[in-house]
Amino acid sequence: MFKSWLFFIFCSILALFLAALLVQGAVTSGPVVASLPDGKAKQQLVSRLRLTDLSLCSEARYTRHPSQADLFSAFQDYPGSFEHFPTGSIILPQLEGFNNQLRIVRQGEN
Amino acid sequence: MRRLLKILDFTLSSLLKRKYKNFALIAVYAFTIAVLGSVLFLTQALKYEATGSLETAPDIVVQRIFAGRHDLIPVNYAETIRRLPGVKSVSSRVWGYYYDSLIKANLTFLASGSDRQTLDLLEGRLPLADDECSIGMGIQSAFGPAIGDSLALEDSAGATKTFQVVGLFRAESNLLTNDLVIFQEQTLRAFFNIDSSLATDLIVEVYNPRETKTLAKKIKYHLADTRPITRDEILHTYETLFNWRSGMMLAVATGALIAFCILAWDKATGLSAEEKREIGILKALGWETADVLTVKLWEGLVISLTSLLIGLIGAWVHVFVFGAPALTPLLKGWSVLYPDFAYTALIDIYQVFVLAMLTVGPYIACTLIPAWKTAVTDPDLVMRG
């Protein structure tokens, strides 16, 4: 049974290594960032400069400020035009805050 | 237990007999898991970073929508909002974009608020005079100015203006400040030629966070051409941006899943002649169908467990040690300024568990089903092929 023990030892080493990596960062809630190094400083920065977005993808305005962009910003030329920015396949404009609805009024209705 | 270990021993010997095929299988399997795991770890790290840092974002941002697009908002809208019960303060914010045609980079220009206190992540200070600015690390890397140097920028009238760099955001804040240039409000207004009666948007602070949503509705009711965006909506944007259904996940996962399906399909469509003969001999020697299935179960477990562990460790190293070099071009797109930052190794165990279930489960099923079909057949027939 030498091979089985060898396999178990191999798997245990990998599993322990993985567990050590996961435990190092295995905390599953948002506020944790504040307890990390620079977490408080980042929150101070966001609060003082009144920032709303991450400076992650700076090629198009709706990927630079996904939470602030309007719907048509993804369609630079006209509504419904093809998206041409590569990060547009990753970051879509958000629908938050738009609640206008087109309504059909039939003849004779108010 | 002893019997199970002996069967495992037999399984390992059987796998080693076809070692090149099985090592290749483990390599492909581990690679697929590493690709999926990398996307998972990267998106999770970005999500934690965004939701954690942006917890102190403004309570409500009020934009004006004109002809379906974001437009400058009249500052006097602040008076209407200020009169609503529950509103603590309303201030205007001025910001905009600046495209540099030389290095083809988009910069974000932002006016600093009235707060003049120093920031922990800022080396130097915020601008105090009309000809001063503070810059992010991305701009420093792209153009090379140090504190004391000046930025020469072309304003909306085409005139060149110089601004002395008095502050440089530290690298730790890159994810938030990489492409930022901070000016005084009146300086930025003059630069973009924004009238003092207008602002880019309004920032509303409320006394009771539970009233934020109601206040946002009231703002929309009183000022119909506005779009109030609450902090919860900002956080929700980043929650949904990097979830299972995100474009990033889809872009990478589709290819990986198709590759894995081909692998699983190949396994499920049948055993090789050698494998069938082996099962036939075992049955002829007196092995029960259950024993044969145990061997195949062990086989599936050995391959999938090894691949899963190697794949997950590979993904962790790829994202948190090397900074996800294979995925960064996806996020970068055509951006010239991309923040250079270390991902925080925060992992959602639930997602790791889901990934394990989605890959290990189907693989074991694919190994067991054809083996069971062969094991229930007469050994003589199996050996004759």
Side-chain angles (χ1 to χ4, degrees):
Chain A
M1 287 187 289
F2 174 71
K3 279 181 194 151
S4 348
W5 287 114
L6 209 63
F7 172 72
F8 279 129
I9 291 168
F10 172 71
C11 277
S12 306
I13 291 170
L14 284 184
L16 280 175
F17 183 55
L18 182 67
L21 295 179
L22 296 184
V23 165
Q24 191 200 338
V27 196
T28 49
S29 59
V32 171
V33 172
S35 65
L36 291 171
D38 308 317
K40 283 275 180 213
K42 281 179 192 167
Q43 290 191 338
Q44 180 204 40
L45 192 74
V46 170
S47 164
R48 293 271 175 78
L49 296 179
R50 303 175 296 176
L51 301 179
T52 53
D53 289 273
L54 298 184
S55 164
L56 193 60
C57 313
S58 59
E59 66 173 351
R61 62 179 189 267
Y62 74 94
T63 60
R64 172 63 181 86
H65 290 99
S67 73
Q68 306 296 302
D70 56 67
L71 291 178
F72 296 142
S73 58
F75 311 107
Q76 302 279 316
D77 302 319
Y78 55 92
S81 70
F82 282 116
E83 170 48 32
H84 55 267
F85 287 111
T87 52
S89 64
I90 293 163
I91 297 175
L92 294 170
Q94 294 299 306
L95 300 169
E96 307 286 0
F98 289 96
N99 52 9
N100 293 348
Q101 288 181 341
L102 191 143
R103 195 168 63 91
I104 306 290
V105 182
R106 303 276 175 213
Q107 287 180 32
E109 284 179 6
N110 286 320
Chain B
M1 181 68 190
R2 206 175 160 76
R3 187 173 149 272
L4 275 178
L5 285 178
K6 286 204 165 177
I7 291 180
L8 174 61
D9 232 30
F10 174 82
T11 310
L12 290 169
S13 304
S14 157
L15 285 173
L16 283 173
K17 261 193 275 175
R18 296 180 293 274
K19 53 178 171 292
Y20 294 116
K21 185 192 160 194
N22 287 318
F23 280 132
L25 191 61
I26 288 175
V28 173
Y29 198 167
F31 179 73
T32 309
I33 291 173
V35 170
L36 288 173
S38 294
V39 179
L40 210 68
F41 292 166
L42 176 69
T43 51
Q44 199 64 32
L46 287 172
K47 199 155 86 174
Y48 279 131
E49 194 73 41
T51 50
S53 304
L54 296 175
E55 259 189 4
T56 47
D59 287 333
I60 306 174
V61 178
V62 183
Q63 292 181 344
R64 183 178 177 229
I65 299 294
F66 176 74
R69 287 179 183 243
H70 180 196
D71 198 34
L72 295 177
I73 190 166
V75 174
N76 63 17
Y77 277 24
E79 286 309 313
T80 312
I81 298 170
R82 214 168 274 136
R83 279 199 294 270
L84 296 172
V87 171
K88 190 176 172 187
S89 68
V90 186
S91 55
S92 58
R93 199 167 65 134
V94 178
W95 59 276
Y97 301 108
Y98 182 86
Y99 177 70
D100 181 81
S101 57
L102 183 67
I103 66 159
K104 299 182 173 55
N106 280 323
L107 313 180
T108 302
F109 287 2
L110 176 73
S112 58
S114 50
D115 201 337
R116 289 285 173 270
Q117 286 177 325
T118 54
L119 293 163
D120 293 345
L121 291 174
L122 179 71
E123 197 180 309
R125 58 175 173 81
L126 287 171
L128 294 173
D130 279 350
D131 59 349
E132 291 180 344
C133 67
S134 302
I135 59 170
M137 199 55 107
I139 295 161
Q140 206 248 356
S141 313
F143 297 92
I147 292 179
D149 292 343
S150 293
L151 284 188
L153 303 164
E154 213 171 273
D155 70 7
S156 55
T160 304
K161 296 272 170 69
T162 54
F163 300 93
Q164 193 186 25
V165 178
V166 293
L168 178 65
F169 288 102
R170 291 185 215 281
E172 292 87 342
S173 70
N174 269 359
L175 196 54
L176 291 160
T177 59
N178 193 53
D179 65 342
L180 275 189
V181 185
I182 309 286
F183 297 96
Q184 279 212 308
E185 188 172 320
Q186 65 269 29
T187 313
L188 199 56
R189 281 184 183 280
F191 188 86
F192 283 139
N193 196 19
I194 297 175
D195 193 83
S196 59
S197 63
L198 298 167
T200 312
D201 46 36
L202 299 174
I203 300 294
V204 181
E205 296 297 323
V206 303
Y207 284 111
N208 184 356
R210 281 185 292 182
E211 286 178 359
T212 308
K213 210 165 181 174
T214 316
L215 274 168
K217 278 185 189 162
K218 282 184 183 172
I219 292 168
K220 179 76 184 162
Y221 176 76
H222 288 287
L223 302 161
D225 60 345
T226 60
R227 178 197 177 201
I229 305 161
T230 64
R231 183 194 295 150
D232 281 348
E233 285 169 351
I234 292 173
L235 294 175
H236 179 68
T237 299
Y238 282 92
E239 283 276 342
T240 53
L241 208 61
F242 301 119
N243 69 4
W244 280 100
R245 290 184 301 147
S246 71
M248 175 125 177
M249 193 68 184
L250 280 177
V252 181
T254 314
L257 279 175
I258 288 171
F260 184 70
C261 285
I262 293 169
L263 183 83
W265 176 254
D266 183 49
K267 268 273 178 194
T269 45
L271 303 172
S272 68
E274 196 191 342
E275 282 173 306
K276 277 185 184 169
R277 207 162 60 88
E278 191 182 293
I279 292 175
I281 293 170
L282 291 177
K283 289 274 290 185
L285 285 172
W287 283 47
E288 298 284 329
T289 305
D291 297 332
V292 175
L293 289 181
T294 314
V295 169
K296 287 293 161 190
L297 181 69
W298 269 126
E299 203 175 283
L301 270 176
V302 166
I303 289 182
S304 50
L305 195 65
T306 313
S307 310
L308 180 72
L309 290 171
I310 294 174
L312 285 176
I313 291 171
W316 203 94
V317 171
H318 172 232
V319 174
F320 300 122
V321 177
F322 295 113
L327 297 175
T328 306
L330 269 177
L331 282 174
K332 199 173 172 185
W334 293 339
S335 321
V336 171
L337 300 178
Y338 184 76
D340 181 16
F341 64 100
Y343 298 103
T344 311
L346 290 171
I347 289 163
D348 189 347
I349 300 291
Y350 166 75
Q351 289 199 334
V352 173
F353 186 73
V354 170
L355 180 67
M357 285 299 108
L358 281 177
T359 49
V360 173
Y363 183 80
I364 291 179
C366 287
T367 325
L368 277 183
I369 294 164
W372 171 76
K373 273 175 60 201
T374 314
V376 292
T377 321
D378 182 36
D380 184 47
L381 265 176
V382 175
M383 279 188 284
R384 283 171 195 274

